[in-house]
Amino acid sequence: MSDTTHTGPVLAADGTPLKRSLARALRMQKIRALMLIAPLLLFVLLTFILPIADMLFRSVENRIVSDTLPKAVVALQDWDANSGVTPDEAIFAALAADLQVAAQEKTHTRVGSRLNYENPGISSLFRKAGRKVKRWDLAEDGPFKEQFLKIDEDWADPEVWRTIQTYSGAYTNGYFLNAADFQKGAEGAELRPENERIYGTLFLRTLIMSLAITVSCIILGYPVAWILANLPSRTANLLMILVLLPFWTSLLVRTSAWKVMLQQQGVINDTLVWLGLVADDARLVMINNQFGTIVAMTHILLPFMILPMYSVMQTINPSYLRAAKSLGATNWTAFWRVYFPQSVPGIGAGSILVFILAIGYYITPELVGGTKGVFISNRIAFHISQSLNWGLAAALGSILLVVVLALYWAYDKIVGIDNVKLG
Amino acid sequence: MKLTKLTALAATTALCAPMAMAADMANEMTIVSWGGAYQESQLKAYVEPYQEMHPDLKVIWDESSAEATAKMRAMTEAGNVTWDLVDVVASDAMRMCDEGLAAELDHDEVLATAPDGTPASEDFGELIVSDCFVPQIVYSTTFGYRMDKVGDTPPSSICDIFDTAKYPGKRALQKRPIDNVEWALYCDGVAKDEIYDVLSTDEGVERALAKLDSIKDQVVWWTAGAETPQLLADGEVVMGSTFNGRLFSAIAEQNQPIDMLWDMQSFDLDGWIVPADLPEDRKARVMDFLKFATDTQRLADQAKFISYGPARASSAPLVGKHAVLGIDMAPHMPTDPANAGNVHVYDYEWWADNRDDLDAKFQAWLAK
C-alpha cells in the first residue's frame, strides 16, 4: 500500500523532481532557440530600434539651452516673464560669462539657431554678441547690460528673454507644437499665424492621397491578379514577368519615365494634340500636381498589391464558382457572394502594404508632385538635410509613426489582422 | 669605424627625411563635390594634375555637397568624419564655420601666393567670406529663355519674368525663397539697396509673395540645377532660373535653342572647407592638395571646362579657351563686364538670420 500512496513530487530518474527537471530541459531549449536568433535580434536592435529611439528622443530633447547657457538659465529662474521688464544686470552678467565659454567652443550659434526656431531674429543676436563677448574681460568690462544693448538694442526686448526662459528646460514639447501648427505664446500654446500653417494640411493630404493611391491600386490590380490566378500556369508565369519587370526597374527611372509621358510637351499630350482631341495651346497639365503623384505612385506600388492578391486567389478552389453557378447563381452573384469574400484577405494584405509604403514615400512626390502633390515626408527630408531642424523633423516623424500605428490598430479592429494572408 | 657608421647613419637620416615627410601624408583623400560638369572641371583642372605628381594617391569622390552641412553635422556628432575636403557654397561654409564643423585657416599661410607675389588673402580679397572658406569660383543664378518662344523681342529685364502677357508660358524657379523674393520686390518697384530693409518687415515679405502670386500658377519649381536646362530643352517652360554654367553647357555644348538673360543675376560663391579636427596625416595631405588646387594657374584652368569665374583676381587674365569647343571663355563668365552690368549680391548674413522664418512663410505660401 505504502508505495502506491506516495504523495511527494514525482521524481525523474536522477532523483530531481520531474517538474523542475522538465522546466530545466525547456529552459535549455529556449536558450538554444534564442541563441540562434540572437545575431538577428542584436542586428535589429542596433541598426533599427536604437536609431529610431534616438531619432524619436530628439523630438523632445532640449539640453542645448541649459548646457550652453547654464548660468543665465539659473539667473533667469526668478525673472517674471509677464512683467514686461528687461532683466537686470545680474542676468546679463551671467549671459556674458556663458557666451564667452560658448563662443570659444563655437556653440553659441547653435543655441542661437535653436532659439531662432521659436523666435526669428534671435540667431543674429547670438551671432553678433558672440563675436564681441569673446574679447571681453569679465572682471573689468561691466556693466554688461549696457554692453549688450550697445551690440544690439533687441537685447532689451523681454520677448527674447521669455524665449530663453521658456526653452531652458531639458525637455520641450515645442517641436511637437510646431509640428501641429502651434507655437508657445505668452499664455501657453496658440495657433501659429495663418500664413505659417502648413503641417495640418500636409498630414491630411498625405493620408488622403495615400488612400487614393491604395484604392486605384485595388481597382487596377484586382483584375490582373484574377487573370493571373485563373490562367494556365505557363501563360500566367509569362504575364507575371510583365508585372515584375517594372518592379525590378529602378524607381528613379520609372519616375523619370512618367515625367516624359505626362509633361505638357510629352508623349501623351503630343498624341492627344495629333489626334485633335486637345488644342495645341490648351495641353493638359498632368504633372507637378496631385494627379502626377497619384499616377506615378500607383504604377510604382501596383506590384505590392498584385502579388498578395495573386497568392490568395491561387488558393481559391475554382469548383466553388462552378458549384455556385450550377445552383443557379448568375456570374455576378457567384463572383460577389462566393469568390470575392474569399479574396478579401489578399486585398487586405495588399492595401496595408501599399498604404503604409505610400504614406512614407518621398522621392516620387518630390520629382512629380510640384507643390500640391508633395507629402509630409518631403518636409521631413527638407528639415533633415536643408534647414537642419532635426528636432522638428523628429517630431513630424514621430507623429507619422503614431498615425501609422493607429491606422494599423484600427485596421486590426475592423478587418482583423488574422484575415491578412500573404500567401 | 665608429665615425663611418655615424656618417652613414647621418646620410641615411638626411636621405630619409623627405621620404618620412611624404609618409606622414595620407594616401587616400575623400573629396566631396556636386557631381556633373562642375566636378568634372575640378577633376580635369586640379585633381588629375595633382595625381600625376603623386601617383600613389587615391582620390575618392562623394557627390553629396547639396547635403554637406547635414552630413558633416551627423558625422561630427558620431565622432567619425570620413571626408577630407568639402566643396560647398559660401553660406554653408559660414554655417559650418560658425558651428565649429570646419577648420579655421590662415589663408596667407596655407594658400599659394599669386605669381607676382601678392599674398593669397589680397588676391582672393572680399571673396573670403569666412575664416574657414577657400573660394574657388564665382557663379551666378540667372535666367535662360527659349529663343523660339519669345517672339521678336527677347526678354531684356528680369522683370519680364513677371510679364505673362508679353511672354506667355511657364517659368521655372528654384523652390526656395532666396533670390525669388528679392527679384519679386525689385520688380515691384523696390530700389536695389532697399530690398533687405523692406524684406525685414512682415509687409515686405507679404509684398514679395503677392508679386510671386501673380505668376504662381505658371511656375514649375525646381530643386536640382539640371532641371531648368532640361525643362527649357523640352519646351516645358519659356524661361527659367538656374546656374549660369548649366545654361552655358545647354547652349554651347548641346546647341539648344536657348539664350541667356544677364540682368539682376544673383552672384554666389563656391569653394572648399576642411573638416575640423582631421588626423594629422590626412590634414597634411589635404593642405598640400589645397595649396596646389587653388593657385592662380589651376583656378584659371578650371575655367577651360566650365563657365564659372575663378575666385582669384590673378587668375582672371589667364582664362583662355574652352578645352573642347575652343571658344573664348571670358565672355561667358558671370564676372565679365558685359554680363555684370546689373548684378545682385545676396546678403548672406541677412539670410542666415531670417532663413527659418522666411522658409516657413514661403513653404506655407507654396502649399496654399
Side-chain angles (χ1 to χ4, degrees), chain A residues 164-185:
Chain A
I164 300 178
Q165 196 187 40
T166 313
Y167 289 94
S168 60
Y171 300 98
T172 179
N173 55 5
Y175 292 121
F176 275 102
L177 286 177
N178 199 341
D181 287 335
F182 280 89
Q183 64 187 13
K184 273 188 189 175

Side-chain angles (χ1 to χ4, degrees), chain A residues 185-379:
Chain A
E187 282 102 40
E190 57 189 40
L191 260 177
R192 291 182 92 82
E194 210 257 319
N195 62 356
E196 284 177 27
R197 278 179 232 159
I198 171 172
Y199 298 112
T201 325
L202 276 175
F203 272 115
L204 201 65
R205 182 195 291 161
T206 307
L207 290 178
I208 291 174
M209 284 181 65
S210 297
L211 204 65
I213 290 162
T214 312
V215 170
S216 53
C217 275
I218 295 175
I219 294 171
L220 292 176
Y222 198 91
V224 178
W226 188 82
I227 290 172
L228 281 175
N230 286 290
L231 279 177
S233 66
R234 263 184 63 189
T235 340
N237 285 342
L238 195 74
L239 283 179
M240 186 55 111
I241 289 179
L242 291 182
V243 173
L244 288 175
L245 207 60
F247 195 50
W248 294 331
T249 317
S250 151
L251 182 78
L252 276 176
V253 172
R254 277 184 285 164
T255 308
S256 313
W258 277 114
K259 281 190 113 156
V260 175
M261 295 280 282
L262 294 179
Q263 64 186 6
Q264 281 190 291
Q265 306 291 328
V267 180
I268 292 178
N269 260 315
D270 278 350
T271 315
L272 289 177
V273 170
W274 182 72
L275 288 173
L277 293 173
V278 166
D280 197 14
D281 53 355
R283 287 167 177 253
L284 303 176
V285 181
M286 295 184 289
I287 205 161
N288 295 322
N289 52 21
Q290 299 192 346
F291 181 79
T293 306
I294 291 178
V295 169
M297 281 184 60
T298 301
H299 173 231
I300 285 162
L301 294 175
L302 200 53
F304 291 98
M305 183 66 84
I306 294 178
L307 293 176
M309 277 184 178
Y310 167 66
S311 65
V312 167
M313 286 180 189
Q314 243 186 347
T315 62
I316 301 174
N317 196 334
S319 54
Y320 294 160
L321 268 183
R322 285 204 297 273
K325 280 188 206 163
S326 73
L327 291 172
T330 59
N331 279 342
W332 170 252
T333 319
F335 167 76
W336 185 245
R337 305 271 303 270
V338 176
Y339 193 87
F340 183 77
Q342 296 185 78
S343 68
V344 163
I347 300 177
S351 302
I352 205 158
L353 214 59
V354 167
F355 186 80
I356 289 179
L357 280 172
I359 217 171
Y361 244 60
Y362 93 101
I363 297 178
T364 306
E366 184 70 43
L367 291 175
V368 299
T371 54
K372 293 282 197 310
V374 296
F375 286 5
I376 192 73
S377 338
N378 297 89
R379 278 318 273 177

Side-chain angles (χ1 to χ4, degrees), chain A residues 58 106 124 127 264-265, chain B residues 77 98 104 236 353 363:
Chain A
R58 275 177 192 278
K106 295 198 162 183
S124 71
R127 262 168 208 271
Q264 281 190 291
Q265 306 291 328
Chain B
E77 274 186 23
D98 283 345
E104 284 184 16
E236 278 291 294
D353 295 342
Q363 297 292 345

Side-chain angles (χ1 to χ4, degrees), chain A residues 123-149:
Chain A
S123 168
S124 71
L125 288 183
F126 273 86
R127 262 168 208 271
K128 283 186 207 159
R131 232 175 285 144
K132 295 265 167 62
V133 177
K134 219 180 344 183
R135 276 177 253 117
W136 285 354
D137 181 350
L138 289 178
E140 308 272 318
D141 282 349
F144 294 106
K145 187 169 177 174
E146 273 172 40
Q147 300 270 16
F148 270 103
L149 294 188

